[in-house]
Amino acid sequence: MSEDFYEVLGVSRDASEEEIQQAYREKAREYHPDVSDDPNAEEKFKKAKKAKEVLTDDEKRRMYDQMGHERFQQADKRGATDGDRGAGGMGGMGGGNPFGGGGGMNDIFDQFFGGGGRDRNAPRQGEDLRTRMSISLEAAYEGITREFSVTRPETCPECDGAGHPPDADTRTCPECNGQGQTTRVQQTPLGRVQQTQTCRRCEGEGRLHSETCGTCGGDGRVQREATLQVDVPAGIQDGQSLRMSGEGAPGENGGPNGDLLIEVSVEGHPDFERDGDDLYYDAAVSIPQAVFGDTIEVPTLDGSVEMDLEPGTQSGERFRLQGKGMPRLRGRGHGDLYVTVQVVTPTDLNEEQREALQAFAEAGGEEVNVDEGFFERIRNSL
Ligand code: ZN
């Protein structure tokens, strides 16, 4: 029976360190074996103490939140989460004192020097990786399952991430005596300052190996091209990112993998402009169509539709075709398609048309100064 650490202390998952300390002090008062009558007091006390130790350590709490209770407990049993193992520098985790707030002097120095004393052997989540993908507007409309390749670090298959062959001889690093860290004491105007650094010889592992893995050169990871599939949801906007959980860089020391973030760019379209979930389309119509009205075909991303033009439609007038835009990414339905009428002024009139238009103008009492020489030149050039 293992209980979530947050439940043990009765705090929310986003409780501050102060709230956790406070909750722990209350539990400690309640269950302190010297005080409580509860027959399970000692066990409850220990649980509360463990919960407090983990949740008040930023690194451990982050690991705990990422790994979940069960996996964290397993890793903890192997000692893999023990941030202060052998470091001698992380200060007390309360030691034997249940009311101790942790935080020996070295904690302060670690903060001072950017926490150089973190244990390199602790499980760590792999980094998030990023890639880009370009899709058509049609694909953004329909949604698409896209296969793609990405070159990413993966755990070395030869050594399984160890960086050395399994049968390599292993010895304790003499530089740091297996601690993975070296401590340097400096005399400063403020007094003696102790600085803890990752051991350069063993790179924090605390052990040296007689052989290095030939495949990864000791890194424990190799660059590999992976082919993956991602479902791009209908309605995705240009510049939005998709997250593929666990497809990033491998975690270290049993930590979880990072994620892969795919930034999607949606290509432009020859017919449509997009604004959020709405689409815009310019429909070219002739002067007679605008004058007399007509039924025109308007393309959409889902086949074409017919739209009625009223007689006397003006150039620049805009009509809304409801629900003919892009699907909404989160939520139901579609945006709209806005159709802007563009009345096209003809540029290649034949003589008959020209005369008809002149007659049209004159019938309206309009005087049009037609450049006869212009038409003359056009006629002669034909
Ligand atoms: Zn390897």
Side-chain angles (χ1 to χ4, degrees):
M1 255 316 275
S2 52
E3 220 178 330
D4 184 284
F5 287 160
Y6 292 96
E7 286 166 16
V8 166
L9 293 176
V11 294
S12 67
R13 296 194 79 82
D14 56 1
S16 68
E17 184 171 341
E18 206 170 298
E19 287 167 336
I20 291 165
Q21 294 281 10
Q22 177 65 31
Y24 169 68
R25 280 193 289 271
E26 280 168 24
K27 295 286 175 200
R29 269 196 291 275
E30 192 179 340
Y31 293 125
H32 196 284
D34 297 343
V35 181
S36 179
D37 297 329
D38 189 329
N40 298 319
E42 185 168 350
E43 201 190 324
K44 286 181 178 170
F45 175 70
K46 279 184 185 159
K47 268 190 193 169
K49 183 162 178 278
K50 180 70 192 171
K52 185 220 58 163
E53 281 175 359
V54 170
L55 298 185
T56 55
D57 182 301
D58 285 349
E59 180 95 336
K60 287 187 178 184
R61 184 175 181 178
R62 198 171 55 78
M63 264 159 44
Y64 180 77
D65 288 344
Q66 277 168 5
M67 297 169 85
H69 187 78
E70 296 303 326
R71 283 180 59 207
F72 182 88
Q73 290 287 74
Q74 284 160 16
D76 199 38
K77 281 202 192 93
R78 298 197 310 263
T81 67
D82 211 351
D84 59 353
R85 165 158 55 140
M90 286 300 291
M93 290 298 291
N97 172 12
F99 299 101
M105 282 305 276
N106 288 323
D107 266 358
I108 295 165
F109 290 127
D110 275 337
Q111 283 163 21
F112 236 79
F113 293 106
R118 291 291 181 212
D119 189 344
R120 293 281 294 249
N121 294 325
R124 270 193 307 273
Q125 181 166 25
E127 313 96 79
D128 288 346
L129 303 176
R130 278 159 213 284
T131 187
R132 287 167 187 273
M133 175 181 290
S134 188
I135 63 168
S136 66
L137 187 65
E138 283 89 348
Y141 182 86
E142 296 280 352
I144 189 173
T145 300
R146 177 66 72 83
E147 198 165 89
F148 66 102
S149 296
V150 62
T151 301
R152 62 177 180 185
E154 292 186 358
T155 301
C156 174
E158 187 65 31
C159 64
D160 201 25
H164 56 85
D167 56 354
D169 289 334
T170 298
R171 65 188 169 110
T172 300
C173 174
E175 186 85 16
C176 62
N177 292 318
Q179 314 253 301
Q181 293 173 330
T182 51
T183 303
R184 204 172 52 173
V185 178
Q186 262 181 315
Q187 203 66 42
T188 75
L190 295 168
R192 277 156 58 88
V193 169
Q194 190 175 318
Q195 188 176 3
T196 305
Q197 281 182 323
T198 300
C199 176
R200 273 175 299 191
R201 180 120 180 234
C202 65
E203 293 179 325
E205 205 187 324
R207 294 179 294 276
L208 297 175
H209 310 284
S210 61
E211 277 179 83
T212 299
C213 173
T215 302
C216 63
D219 278 351
R221 35 163 82 183
V222 287
Q223 290 288 326
R224 278 285 169 89
E225 184 173 281
T227 301
L228 301 171
Q229 258 191 9
V230 65
D231 289 324
V232 183
I236 191 160
Q237 308 268 355
D238 183 47
Q240 283 185 317
S241 287
L242 301 170
R243 179 179 289 267
M244 291 183 80
S245 187
E247 296 290 358
E252 287 174 57
N253 306 315
N257 288 358
D259 297 337
L260 178 63
L261 294 160
I262 305 159
E263 189 183 318
V264 177
S265 67
V266 180
E267 291 156 11
H269 192 280
D271 291 338
F272 302 104
E273 290 283 338
R274 181 183 190 183
D275 181 18
D277 297 324
D278 295 330
L279 292 173
Y280 291 82
Y281 174 73
D282 283 343
V285 305
S286 69
I287 291 173
Q289 280 179 307
V291 171
F292 300 120
D294 198 0
T295 299
I296 62 170
E297 291 260 301
V298 173
T300 76
L301 287 172
D302 185 28
S304 61
V305 294
E306 290 189 337
M307 189 180 93
D308 289 330
L309 281 187
E310 293 294 309
T313 297
Q314 300 296 321
S315 193
E317 256 187 88
R318 179 180 284 176
F319 300 91
R320 184 167 75 123
L321 298 180
Q322 210 177 343
K324 295 295 179 190
M326 297 296 287
R328 299 192 200 284
L329 184 60
R330 287 183 187 82
R332 288 181 200 158
H334 287 65
D336 301 326
L337 173 61
Y338 289 93
V339 179
T340 305
V341 168
Q342 302 288 356
V343 177
V344 177
T345 303
T347 53
D348 54 351
L349 294 177
N350 59 36
E351 194 170 348
E352 208 176 328
Q353 288 172 317
R354 181 178 63 86
E355 281 165 5
L357 264 183
Q358 258 179 294
F360 167 81
E362 279 160 17
E366 210 176 331
E367 224 174 280
V368 183
N369 288 316
V370 180
D371 176 2
E372 290 290 348
F374 173 73
F375 286 103
E376 197 68 26
R377 283 197 299 279
I378 289 178
R379 255 199 304 281
N380 293 342
S381 72
L382 293 176

